Amino acid sequence: MSRVQTVTVGPGDGDQRLDRWLKRHFPQLAQGRIEKMCRKGELRVDGARVKASTRLEVGQQVRIPPLPEPGQVESAPKPAVSDQDAQMIRDCVIYKDDHLIAINKPPGLATQGGSKQTRHVDGLAEALKFDYDEKPRLVHRLDKDTSGVLVLARTREAAKALTAAIRHKLTRKIYWALVAGVPTPYLGEIRYGLVKAPGHGHHGEGEKMLCVHPRDMAHTEGAKRAHTLYATLYRVAGRASWVALEPITGRTHQLRAHMAEIGHPIIGDGKYGGSGQENLGDGWGAQLGGMISRKLHLHARSMRFEHPFTGKPLTLTAPLPDHMAQSWDTLGWTEDIAADDPFEELQ
């Protein structure tokens, strides 16, 4: 084992996740070991406790506890991606160039590993290297049960540029959802803050967000500002609506919590909509019954941004997953009847 050491983040290593920085400098480290050192406070940056996802900046001091020597077996080798999974994730690719890859993430597939999550996009990205030495890097996430556009960077430079664009709100994401009832006004915005609910499960698997009225934000500990635009596109009497959603901020479960808060939970949302309850057309309950699937009806339809290297506008669009396509067909809707940008009036 090595001794405790302090390493300065050097030029070219800034704006990078702590876990990825560690793996570049100490390839013998397993992800589980890194996360454990963070939980125990053994890893510190400028003297402060950190998470594996903490982003480093040039000049920061990283305190590193004793580590296994290179060559020591830290954990069993990662299992290879099966041929079936490799083909599945490659079939999801909707865009690829020298810098970026975008996939239409299937519902039910986690973006990253976590509690009891052994099959996820980050692991399957090994099958998306194509002719590159390293697998593409995630630059944002989607909830496990949310489908749609997910962008990965093929190089560190692309990852840095895309992460900065997302942080500075230079990207636009439009989601489609099927919700209970009919939101009114048809075009509007939701500005409730969000705070984590207490007691969210032993491993965080039950995590849930609570909405906080703007007037209560200042004295609600842990609350974060959240802002969503919504547009009601089509409706089925008073029972359900096809809505477009644009998250101006990017909080955990933001769209799901916001729609439930205004009385129109997303169909199939067992966490925020009471999926076992019958929807009576008043926006309460998140099941329509009949031929409509009980799966979550939330889809990242499009993502727009300037290409980090060509500077040209790029719009990536993902078709609906099977269960939502079937619901759209049942309700008499087709994907091509929706406006590309239903929020032009609010820009």
Side-chain angles (χ1 to χ4, degrees), residues 72-328:
Q72 286 185 249
V73 177
E74 170 96 329
S75 62
K78 294 180 180 179
V81 178
S82 69
D83 291 343
Q84 183 177 0
D85 276 346
Q87 188 60 53
M88 180 278 296
I89 200 68
R90 288 175 188 145
D91 288 343
C92 292
V93 173
I94 54 177
Y95 178 85
K96 177 168 74 74
D97 64 23
D98 291 342
H99 309 284
L100 316 173
I101 288 179
I103 66 169
N104 184 3
K105 188 189 82 65
L109 179 64
T111 302
Q112 289 178 294
S115 176
K116 301 181 182 179
Q117 297 295 338
T118 58
R119 184 172 176 268
H120 45 79
V121 173
D122 194 31
L124 298 180
E126 288 288 342
L128 298 177
K129 293 194 293 188
F130 297 103
D131 54 344
Y132 280 36
D133 293 332
E134 295 185 6
K135 71 177 186 179
R137 299 163 169 82
L138 294 168
V139 294
H140 64 116
R141 297 185 304 168
L142 291 175
D143 287 350
K144 179 180 177 182
D145 293 323
T146 302
S147 57
V149 177
L150 186 69
V151 178
L152 299 93
R154 302 191 72 188
T155 64
R156 284 195 61 230
E157 294 78 11
K160 183 176 181 179
L162 284 169
T163 299
I166 293 170
R167 183 185 304 135
H168 295 112
K169 298 180 173 58
L170 301 178
T171 63
R172 292 190 63 202
K173 301 174 189 174
I174 294 179
Y175 290 71
W176 282 355
L178 180 63
V179 305
V182 182
T184 53
Y186 292 156
L187 183 66
E189 55 187 338
I190 308 166
R191 289 183 176 271
Y192 284 95
L194 294 170
V195 65
K196 282 186 180 180
H200 49 71
H202 182 59
H203 295 292
E205 67 275 8
E207 181 179 80
K208 186 172 182 178
M209 307 303 289
L210 300 177
C211 285
V212 180
H213 194 283
R215 66 170 173 264
D216 299 324
M217 287 290 293
H219 51 268
T220 302
E221 184 178 357
K224 294 182 178 180
R225 186 179 64 87
H227 185 192
T228 299
L229 306 182
Y230 74 86
T232 307
L233 304 180
Y234 294 93
R235 59 192 178 91
V236 182
R239 286 181 57 78
S241 304
W242 170 4
V243 298
L245 300 164
E246 181 174 357
I248 305 303
T249 53
R251 308 302 184 195
T252 300
H253 297 175
Q254 176 176 320
L255 303 181
R256 297 164 62 186
H258 270 177
M259 293 310 295
E261 182 66 20
I262 66 170
H264 302 286
I266 296 172
I267 300 302
D269 193 343
K271 181 167 289 189
Y272 292 94
S275 60
Q277 298 166 348
E278 181 185 4
N279 171 40
L280 302 177
D282 57 1
W284 188 71
Q287 290 301 329
L288 290 178
M291 307 227 0
I292 303 300
S293 171
R294 296 173 66 87
K295 294 181 180 178
L296 182 69
H297 284 63
L298 180 61
H299 177 69
R301 172 62 174 181
S302 66
M303 184 169 175
R304 305 177 190 181
F305 53 93
E306 284 190 0
H307 193 285
F309 292 93
T310 68
K312 295 180 179 179
L314 180 62
T315 299
L316 305 171
T317 303
L320 290 171
D322 288 345
H323 75 282
M324 288 183 68
Q326 290 169 8
S327 295
W328 260 234

